[in-house]
Amino acid sequence: MKKAKLRNIILFVLIMFAFERLLSKDCIPTPPNPELIVNGNFELGLTGFRTTYDTTYIKLGKNIKVTSNPNSEYYNFDSCSDPTLPGGKFLIVNGNDIFNEIETIWEQTIKVTPNTYYEFQYKYTNIDIKTDSNDNLPIIQVSFNDDFYDTISLEQVTCIWKTRKIIWYSKNYDSVTIKFRDLLRAYFGNDAGFDDISFKSLCDVQACAGSDVEICLGDTVVIGEPNFLSAIQGFKPYKYKWTPSTGLSSPYEPTPLASPTTTTTYYLEVTDSIGCSAFDSVTVFVNFPPTAQITTSKPIPICPCDSVTLFTTQNLEYLWSTGDTTPSITIRNPGYYSVAVRNEYGCTDTAGIYVGIRGIRTTLGLDTVDANIGDIIALPLKIKDQENYFLCNYDSFKVKIAYNKTVLFPLNKIPTSSDANTEIIELEGTTISDLLDSLKFFVTLGNSAYSDIEMESFEWNCDKVEVKTLNGRVNIQNICKEGGSRLLDFSSKLYLSDINPNPIDETATIYLNLIEEGRTSIKIYNLLGEVVQVLLNKHVAPGAYKFDIEAKELKPGLYYLVLETPTKRLTRNFNVLK
């Protein structure tokens, strides 16, 4: 038995703990309303109340006594027992026959709360076993502050306890005196028992405004207790009223939406169906979000191949659209970038910026010039047109320039590659003006009356710059196209061979293939245009010739070998090393 009782206690505690966890800290069911009647079960005897009845000798009229068995007090009483506690005590009354006034069987004064409902309850029974013969049944009146409120007539059957309940509204009273009186006033019969007199407030409704909450400005939160509709206990249905109504979706809902712009305390009044009211409050703390800003390390849009660093508000939590969580990011690609920042209250703000790329365009070109055989010409490599180029300061470049080597002999650049007719010069460097570089050529008599000068490729130090190239040309004037001797066979690879070896440290050899007779010269020039060596200068017959260049007579440096015929002028360059 003891183990079962212990299990029941533990189960009850666990259930109450789980129930409380469903409620906020300020909305836990209150204990039952306290009992306001003193000694209502009479276990303390004749104490706690007032009476005008005699308490000494129960056999006389207008007497009361506390007992556990009326028959043991007087043989005319039945052997009734306590209705609640086995062996417990209760009040017995021997009828009143005094007619000058209505005597008070039991009276007690209790402090009450104005405008509150109370429940008064008591148990009663007939204890006179001779009721059938004398037919004097008690008529009991209950009054509140001398206002007759309830009257009961006891039945003939004895020891059958009945319960009587009365709902009383306190109006503006702050105390109440409750009285039991016997209206029958008969000596014989008119005997009754009373027990379990109770007086409790019915108002135990509790308002549940919920726990205080923090939000960010612009957010919305539910206030109240959604699970219990912001009220417990009392008598349903409830009425709700929230004040102030500022920022609420409705002041008359149990769980309204709140979106205040400043920290606000909302007060909830709950009224149940019998008019009992309860109050509670909740504070919504409004935190202001941070201000997200983006600044840049340099003006935007940025130049192609460049980067820019984006900075945002400091001392916060960050999340960029790139996934970075740092206060700043460095980007190189165009696009829209955003950042979300969050402060210690969890409030957020966002900012965004579009990073554009400047459109950079350059048009580079070489001039077209007219020249005579033997002229030295300069062809500038220039920026002919540009858009935003100088804003971005691209100063490094690489370019490949191709030309007809039988027509043009470079004077200030060394070719990097060559085939039968074409040589390529590769240039690279830096520039801060429109002029990138200048090419100097010696114009010779070659296999064509002109030479295109083509830019096969061009690169700035940023491959995203749009580049357009304009080729140049050298037109040779005053070429004798009719009459005279045609001394060179251009169908042969040996009309004028390359110098071998090149560079020269001691001796080099060249070969010449003449197909017609005529005046022919082969001379060697230095960089100043001075003739430093003559290999041939006379009238020659058709045939194959071999010539040696003696390097011992020459200083180290670059030299030009020039073949001149009546209709042709060809050039080869070589270096002398010692």
Side-chain angles (χ1 to χ4, degrees), residues 390-411:
F390 289 107
L391 291 175
C392 294
N393 297 320
Y394 297 116
D395 58 354
S396 297
F397 66 91
K398 291 182 180 180
V399 61
K400 288 183 179 181
I401 298 177
Y403 56 90
N404 187 333
K405 70 179 183 179
T406 69
V407 175
L408 299 176
F409 183 81
L411 296 178

Side-chain angles (χ1 to χ4, degrees), residues 129-188:
I129 58 176
K130 295 183 177 181
T131 301
D132 290 342
S133 60
N134 59 41
D135 200 25
N136 290 329
L137 295 174
I139 300 174
I140 305 300
Q141 179 200 68
V142 179
S143 65
F144 290 78
N145 287 341
D146 292 328
D147 292 330
F148 295 156
Y149 207 85
D150 188 35
T151 301
I152 59 169
S153 295
L154 275 66
E155 299 177 357
Q156 290 182 339
V157 61
T158 59
C159 298
I160 300 299
W161 291 94
K162 293 193 174 183
T163 300
R164 188 72 167 177
K165 292 183 180 180
I166 298 171
I167 303 300
W168 178 75
Y169 183 61
S170 62
K171 300 180 183 178
N172 61 343
Y173 292 121
D174 57 10
S175 67
V176 61
T177 298
I178 306 174
K179 295 181 181 180
F180 284 173
R181 293 174 174 177
D182 182 2
L183 300 183
L184 181 62
R185 294 183 292 186
Y187 182 82
F188 294 102

Side-chain angles (χ1 to χ4, degrees), residues 298-458:
K298 60 182 66 174
I300 53 176
I302 60 174
C303 296
C305 300
D306 197 4
S307 64
V308 63
T309 300
L310 307 182
F311 302 91
T312 189
T313 316
Q314 299 296 305
N315 302 319
L316 298 169
E317 295 181 15
Y318 320 94
L319 180 60
W320 293 88
S321 53
T322 58
D324 294 288
T325 56
T326 53
S328 63
I329 59 172
T330 299
I331 59 172
R332 292 173 174 81
N333 298 319
Y336 181 81
Y337 296 86
S338 63
V339 64
V341 297
R342 182 170 63 181
N343 60 18
E344 67 271 25
Y345 304 111
C347 302
T348 61
D349 191 26
T350 58
I353 190 172
Y354 182 80
V355 177
I357 302 295
R358 293 184 183 276
I360 306 297
R361 177 185 56 81
T362 56
T363 301
L364 301 108
L366 293 161
D367 291 340
T368 295
V369 298
D370 296 329
N372 295 313
I373 296 174
D375 288 347
I376 296 177
I377 61 172
L379 294 178
L381 176 61
K382 289 185 175 182
I383 299 176
K384 300 284 189 179
D385 189 21
Q386 62 86 22
E387 179 182 349
N388 295 327
Y389 166 73
F390 289 107
L391 291 175
C392 294
N393 297 320
Y394 297 116
D395 58 354
S396 297
F397 66 91
K398 291 182 180 180
V399 61
K400 288 183 179 181
I401 298 177
Y403 56 90
N404 187 333
K405 70 179 183 179
T406 69
V407 175
L408 299 176
F409 183 81
L411 296 178
N412 61 341
K413 307 295 179 183
I414 298 176
T416 56
S417 62
S418 176
D419 58 21
N421 295 318
T422 304
E423 282 183 338
I424 293 178
I425 293 176
E426 294 185 15
L427 304 177
E428 60 179 272
T430 59
T431 182
I432 57 173
S433 65
D434 289 342
L435 179 63
L436 274 61
D437 207 336
S438 184
L439 303 174
K440 289 185 178 182
F441 290 100
F442 186 82
V443 181
T444 65
L445 180 63
N447 60 2
S448 175
Y450 64 89
S451 173
D452 286 326
I453 305 176
E454 300 179 355
M455 280 183 278
E456 291 191 344
S457 66
F458 187 94

Side-chain angles (χ1 to χ4, degrees), residues 13-73:
V13 171
L14 291 175
I15 291 173
M16 289 303 298
F17 176 74
F19 182 66
E20 289 185 10
R21 292 189 66 181
L22 294 174
L23 294 162
S24 63
K25 59 180 178 60
D26 61 345
C27 197
I28 298 173
T30 58
N33 286 330
E35 177 59 65
L36 302 179
I37 295 294
V38 177
N39 193 27
N41 58 6
F42 300 100
E43 296 302 314
L44 299 180
L46 292 168
T47 184
F49 63 93
R50 300 182 297 276
T51 183
T52 60
Y53 276 50
D54 195 327
T55 61
T56 58
Y57 192 63
I58 191 63
K59 293 181 180 180
L60 300 177
K62 204 189 80 168
N63 279 261
I64 63 172
K65 193 173 184 66
V66 173
T67 183
S68 59
N69 184 359
N71 185 256
S72 65
E73 304 296 335

Side-chain angles (χ1 to χ4, degrees), residues 31-37 110-120 166-168 170 198-205 234-235 272 274 276-277:
N33 286 330
E35 177 59 65
L36 302 179
I37 295 294
I110 305 104
K111 291 183 178 181
V112 295
T113 301
N115 303 311
T116 302
Y117 285 90
Y118 291 85
E119 181 182 68
F120 180 68
I166 298 171
I167 303 300
W168 178 75
S170 62
S198 172
F199 186 70
K200 295 181 180 181
S201 171
L202 282 178
C203 289
D204 63 348
V205 63
F235 297 89
D272 67 5
I274 64 171
C276 296
S277 297

